[in-house]
Amino acid sequence: MKFIGIAGGSGVGKSTLCYGLVDAEPEVFEVLNLDDYQYRKDVPNLPVIHGQINWDHPDIIRWSDLMADLNKLRSGKSITIDVWSHRSNSNYFKHGQMISRTLQPRPIVLIEGYLALYNSKLNEQYARKYYIDLNEATRAGRRKDKVIYEDDIVIPMHNKYVEPTKKNADIIFNVGQMSIKEVQRKVKEDIIAAFLL
């Protein structure tokens, strides 16, 4: 089993990339969304900025739970996690309920999220690390859920915690210069050449 990190700012296409790979090769790829390891909003002492929970801060992630789950997957065990993110729970913003999702061990587990390359211990687990890059103006236009304090939270947190993780990537793809489908093809080719041949 190989863990692959896929990071980048909100709106760059990380989830689209990962789920495209899963859909094409479901017996090879599995995706784990870092968003599903965020603390719940009723947990005390979460990072706050301007009176709002700062969901873009690294301290919002349950890193130890994530690492424990990766160890289970690596040992061949399935994991069950409560999810709110993306395709796994597409109606979350209507009903506000987490649902359980079971992930099976696969040869390639894609770990995607804005902070996927932030944690040094997590970076040590990766066989390959990718960063999906895109300028802020285009990312902002792609974000579905506008944040009240976008200029005070989202952009500064990206500049402080996400953008610097590019230096941890093995390969950086700029989706302003190529489509996410092209990136998906290149990532798949790279992974197959490195680990599946």
Side-chain angles (χ1 to χ4, degrees):
M1 175 183 293
K2 303 292 184 183
F3 296 128
I4 306 294
I6 299 181
S10 176
V12 300
K14 300 183 300 296
S15 298
T16 301
L17 165 65
C18 290
Y19 283 116
L21 291 170
V22 170
D23 289 342
E25 302 282 353
E27 297 304 313
V28 174
F29 293 100
E30 180 58 277
V31 59
L32 192 155
N33 304 109
L34 197 63
D35 286 354
D36 292 327
Y37 286 86
Q38 291 178 335
Y39 283 105
R40 299 190 183 189
K41 60 184 178 182
D42 56 353
V43 172
N45 302 317
L46 295 178
V48 174
I49 189 169
H50 304 298
Q52 301 283 320
I53 295 174
N54 185 355
W55 296 107
D56 291 1
H57 193 284
D59 289 349
I60 212 76
I61 303 295
R62 296 180 288 115
W63 299 106
S64 60
D65 291 344
L66 171 61
M67 297 297 290
D69 281 348
L70 295 186
N71 286 335
K72 288 180 184 176
L73 286 171
R74 195 188 295 280
S75 69
K77 299 176 182 177
S78 64
I79 61 171
T80 299
I81 58 176
D82 290 334
V83 304
W84 71 266
S85 64
H86 309 298
R87 193 171 72 175
S88 305
N89 190 358
S90 59
N91 291 321
Y92 175 81
F93 289 105
K94 290 182 181 179
H95 55 64
Q97 300 295 314
M98 307 280 279
I99 63 172
S100 293
R101 176 181 176 230
T102 298
L103 286 78
Q104 301 296 333
R106 292 286 185 261
I108 303 293
V109 177
L110 307 165
I111 301 170
E112 74 87 14
Y114 59 112
L115 293 170
L117 302 185
Y118 176 82
N119 185 285
S120 59
K121 291 183 179 179
L122 180 57
N123 282 334
E124 292 173 359
Q125 301 295 313
Y126 293 135
R128 188 76 101 226
K129 303 182 290 292
Y130 303 101
Y131 186 94
I132 313 303
D133 204 9
L134 187 63
N135 66 70
E136 169 55 36
T138 308
R139 288 201 319 272
R142 292 182 177 184
R143 286 195 280 268
K144 295 178 181 178
D145 303 302
K146 299 302 178 185
V147 180
I148 295 174
Y149 294 105
E150 183 163 298
D151 289 340
D152 295 327
I153 299 177
V154 176
I155 296 172
M157 293 299 102
H158 174 87
N159 292 339
K160 185 173 183 178
Y161 296 116
V162 181
E163 187 79 14
T165 67
K166 279 200 291 192
K167 71 180 185 299
N168 298 326
D170 297 307
I171 302 175
I172 299 171
F173 292 105
N174 188 325
V175 289
Q177 300 171 356
M178 60 197 309
S179 72
I180 198 65
K181 287 289 188 185
E182 290 176 293
V183 174
Q184 186 180 92
R185 179 177 55 80
K186 288 183 175 292
V187 167
K188 183 178 178 180
E189 289 173 354
D190 184 58
I191 290 173
I192 289 173
F195 308 116
L196 300 180
L197 287 181

